[in-house]
C-alpha cells in the first residue's frame, strides 16, 4: 500500500516541549502525519510550522477524543486507507506502527489495538498504580462492552478506513477510549491486540492521567451512554 | 399564610423558568406539571401532605416533601446535564467545522 494512504493522527494539547521530538521519527516512513492542535496555548503552533506535517487547529480546547475525531474526519476526507492514533507526549514508539498496521494490511483485522500487557517486559515498565487501574478498566470493559482485551486504555491503535467510517467519537475527553472499544463491539469489527511498548518519561507521567481522573473518565463514559 | 404566599410565588417562578427554558418534550412537561400541581395542593392544604405521607408510609408530611424535593432536584440536575452536553456537542461540531475548513483551504493553497 502507498504509505501516503496511511495517516498518523497526533492529538496535541500544550505539547510544545516534546512535539518536535515526537514527530521527527515519524517523518521518515512516508506516512501522512496529521497533528490536531487542540487549542494549545503554548508554543506548539510555532514548533509545528517548520515540520512537513498537516496541522489542524481547534480554536479552543475540546479534549483528546474530539481532536482524534477531527483528525479521523480529515483523514477519511483525504482518502486514508489506514488511520493510526499516536500520542503527542512521546509515549508511543514509532517502530511499533508497522507491526500495528500489519494485520490490517493483511485483512486479518479491521482494528489493531496496542497493548502493554502482552509482553512481560512491557508490563514491568508500567507504574504499579497505573497497572492496577488498567486492570480494573479491562474488567469494566468486559462487563460493559463484552470485549475481552488486555489493555483497554491504550491510545495507540490503528483502523482500516472502513472501520474508521463506522466509529464516531462523541466523548470529547478521555472517555473516548472506552467509547471506541464499545463502538468496535457494537459494529462487530474484527480486532486484534498487538504488543506495544509505552515509554513512561517524567514528562509523560506529569502530563498523564491521575488516578483520580480515572473516576471522572468512568463517570463520563457511563453518563455518556445513558444521556445521548 | 405568608410562607404559603412565598412558596406559591417561588413555585410559579420555577415553573415559569422550566417551561420557558427547559421544556422540549411532552413527557417532561407533564411530569413537571404533575409535580407542580402536587406541590401547589400541599402548599394550600398542608394537612394533605401529612395524610399522603401516612398513606405512603414515609412518616410526616414534611418528610414526603423532603423526598419529593430531592427527586425533583435530581431530575433537574439530569436535565441540566443533558442540556449542557448538547451545547457542548454543538460547540464541538462548530470548532471541528472551522478547523477542517481552514485545513482544506491550506491544502488548496499548497496545491
Amino acid at each position: 500500500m502507498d504509505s501516503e494512504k496511511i495517516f498518523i493522527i497526533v492529538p496535541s494539547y500544550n505539547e510544545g516541549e516534546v512535539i518536535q521530538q515526537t514527530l521527527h521519527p515519524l517523518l521518515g516512513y512516508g506516512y501522512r502525519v496529521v497533528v490536531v492542535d487542540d487549542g494549545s496555548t503554548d508554543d506548539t503552533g510555532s514548533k509545528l510550522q517548520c515540520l512537513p506535517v498537516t496541522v489542524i487547529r481547534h480554536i479552543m480546547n475540546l479534549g483528546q477524543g474530539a481532536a482524534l475525531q477531527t483528525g479521523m474526519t480529515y483523514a477519511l476526507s483525504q482518502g486514508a486507507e489506514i488511520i493510526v492514533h499516536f500520542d503527542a507526549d512521546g509515549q508511543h514508539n514509532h517502530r511499533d506502527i508497522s507491526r500495528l498496521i500489519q494485520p490490517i494490511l493483511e485483512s486479518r483485522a479491521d482494528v489493531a489495538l496496542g497493548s502493554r500487557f502482552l509482553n512481560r517486559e512491557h508490563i514491568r515498565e508500567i507504574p504499579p498504580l497505573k497497572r492496577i487501574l488498567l486492570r480494573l478498566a479491562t474488567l469494566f470493559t468486559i462487563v460493559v462492552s463484552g470485549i475481552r482485551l488486555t489493555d483497554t486504555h491504550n491510545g495507540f491503535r490503528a483502523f482500516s478506513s472502513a472501520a474508521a467510517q463506522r466509529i464516531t467519537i462523541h466523548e470529547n475527553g478521555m472517555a473516548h477510549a472506552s467509547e471506541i472499544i464499545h463502538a468496535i463491539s457494537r459494529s462487530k469489527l474484527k480486532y486484534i491486540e498487538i504488543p506495544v511498548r509505552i515509554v513512561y518519561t517524567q514528562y509523560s507521567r506529569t502530563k498523564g492521567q491521575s488516578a483520580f481522573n480515572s473516576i471522572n473518565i468512568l463517570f463520563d463514559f457511563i453518563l455518556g451512554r445513558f444521556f445521548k | 399564610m405568608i410562607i404559603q404566599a412565598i412558596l406559591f410565588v417561588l413555585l410559579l417562578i420555577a415553573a415559569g423558568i422550566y417551561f420557558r427554558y427547559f421544556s422540549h418534550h411532552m413527557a417532561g412537561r407533564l411530569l413537571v406539571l404533575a409535580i407542580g400541581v402536587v406541590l401547589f395542593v400541599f402548599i394550600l392544604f398542608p394537612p394533605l401532605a401529612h395524610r399522603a405521607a401516612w398513606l405512603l408510609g414515609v412518616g410526616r408530611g414534611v418528610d414526603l416533601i423532603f423526598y419529593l424535593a430531592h427527586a425533583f432536584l435530581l431530575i433537574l440536575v439530569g436535565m441540566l446535564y443533558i442540556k449542557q452536553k448538547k451545547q457542548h456537542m454543538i460547540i464541538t461540531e462548530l470548532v471541528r467545522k472551522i478547523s477542517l475548513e481552514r485545513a482544506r483551504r491550506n491544502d488548496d493553497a499548497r496545491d
Side-chain angles (χ1 to χ4, degrees):
Chain A
M1 182 190 290
D2 181 3
S3 57
E4 278 265 306
K5 296 283 181 190
I6 298 167
F7 280 60
I8 315 292
I9 311 296
V10 187
S12 174
Y13 176 63
N14 288 347
E15 304 282 8
E17 202 178 312
V18 294
I19 193 73
Q20 288 187 333
Q21 215 174 303
T22 303
L23 296 178
H24 267 300
L26 294 174
L27 303 176
Y29 294 94
Y31 304 137
R32 280 283 298 276
V33 179
V34 178
V35 181
V36 184
D37 180 0
D38 191 23
S40 295
T41 50
D42 67 351
D43 59 348
T44 299
S46 59
K47 292 272 176 75
L48 291 170
Q49 273 177 356
C50 54
L51 295 172
V53 298
T54 301
V55 180
I56 304 174
R57 185 174 154 74
H58 283 170
I59 54 172
M60 62 183 279
N61 178 244
L62 294 174
Q64 197 186 51
L68 285 170
Q69 183 55 50
T70 300
M72 283 171 73
T73 305
Y74 175 80
L76 288 172
S77 75
Q78 299 291 306
E81 287 183 17
I82 292 179
I83 296 173
V84 178
H85 292 176
F86 195 87
D87 279 2
D89 60 5
Q91 280 201 323
H92 295 160
N93 188 341
H94 59 96
R95 290 186 193 88
D96 287 334
I97 294 177
S98 56
R99 286 194 299 116
L100 200 63
I101 63 176
Q102 200 57 35
I104 298 173
L105 289 170
E106 292 168 359
S107 302
R108 283 191 287 124
D110 303 307
V111 184
L113 303 159
S115 172
R116 289 161 270 201
F117 290 95
L118 294 174
N119 180 313
R120 283 189 183 188
E121 207 176 296
H122 296 167
I123 297 173
R124 273 199 292 271
E125 290 169 0
I126 307 170
L129 179 61
K130 199 164 189 89
R131 206 181 303 167
I132 294 167
L133 287 171
L134 290 169
R135 292 289 195 199
L136 288 173
T138 56
L139 287 176
F140 174 75
T141 305
I142 292 170
V143 174
V144 174
S145 304
I147 283 192
R148 195 173 285 272
L149 293 172
T150 58
D151 190 0
T152 49
H153 276 254
N154 194 316
F156 203 3
R157 34 180 116 78
F159 306 86
S160 67
S161 62
Q165 278 165 26
R166 293 171 74 175
I167 292 172
T168 307
I169 302 170
H170 299 287
E171 288 296 335
N172 283 2
M174 298 307 289
H176 71 270
S178 300
E179 191 190 11
I180 288 171
I181 304 291
H182 192 66
I184 292 168
S185 166
R186 197 187 48 223
S187 303
K188 296 185 169 55
L189 296 169
K190 269 194 293 176
Y191 63 91
I192 190 167
E193 282 193 289
I194 302 292
V196 293
R197 182 163 177 252
I198 302 295
V199 184
Y200 293 98
T201 59
Q202 188 56 43
Y203 175 82
S204 71
R205 283 183 198 211
T206 315
K207 290 275 295 189
Q209 301 301 311
S210 67
F212 182 73
N213 206 29
S214 310
I215 298 164
N216 292 339
I217 293 168
L218 182 71
F219 194 67
D220 280 350
F221 178 67
I222 293 170
L223 282 181
R225 282 199 65 194
F226 281 108
F227 299 109
K228 278 200 173 158
Chain B
M1 200 60 192
I2 294 170
I3 189 70
Q4 281 177 318
I6 293 169
L7 286 173
F8 183 65
V9 169
L10 286 175
L11 186 65
L12 277 181
I13 292 171
I17 290 171
Y18 174 79
F19 284 105
R20 174 68 184 84
Y21 297 107
F22 292 100
S23 164
H24 293 299
H25 303 290
M26 189 51 80
R29 282 180 191 179
L30 289 174
L31 181 71
V32 171
L33 198 66
I35 292 170
V37 168
V38 169
L39 287 175
F40 180 67
V41 171
F42 284 172
I43 290 168
L44 281 184
F45 310 105
L48 273 180
H50 193 70
R51 175 97 182 127
W54 183 79
L55 284 172
L56 292 167
V58 289
R60 301 169 302 164
V62 71
D63 292 334
L64 176 67
I65 292 172
F66 182 75
Y67 296 143
L68 283 178
H70 269 81
F72 190 54
L73 276 175
L74 271 176
I75 292 168
L76 277 182
V77 168
M79 284 173 168
L80 279 172
Y81 175 81
I82 294 168
K83 198 171 176 72
Q84 191 232 8
K85 194 151 173 116
K86 281 181 181 166
Q87 299 275 3
H88 214 87
M89 280 168 76
I90 293 168
I91 292 169
T92 300
E93 275 311 305
L94 194 63
V95 171
R96 184 168 290 138
K97 262 195 180 143
I98 293 169
S99 56
L100 288 172
E101 181 57 29
R102 282 183 181 172
R104 194 185 60 77
R105 262 190 249 153
N106 286 344
D107 287 346
D108 288 348
R110 216 174 297 138
D111 294 341

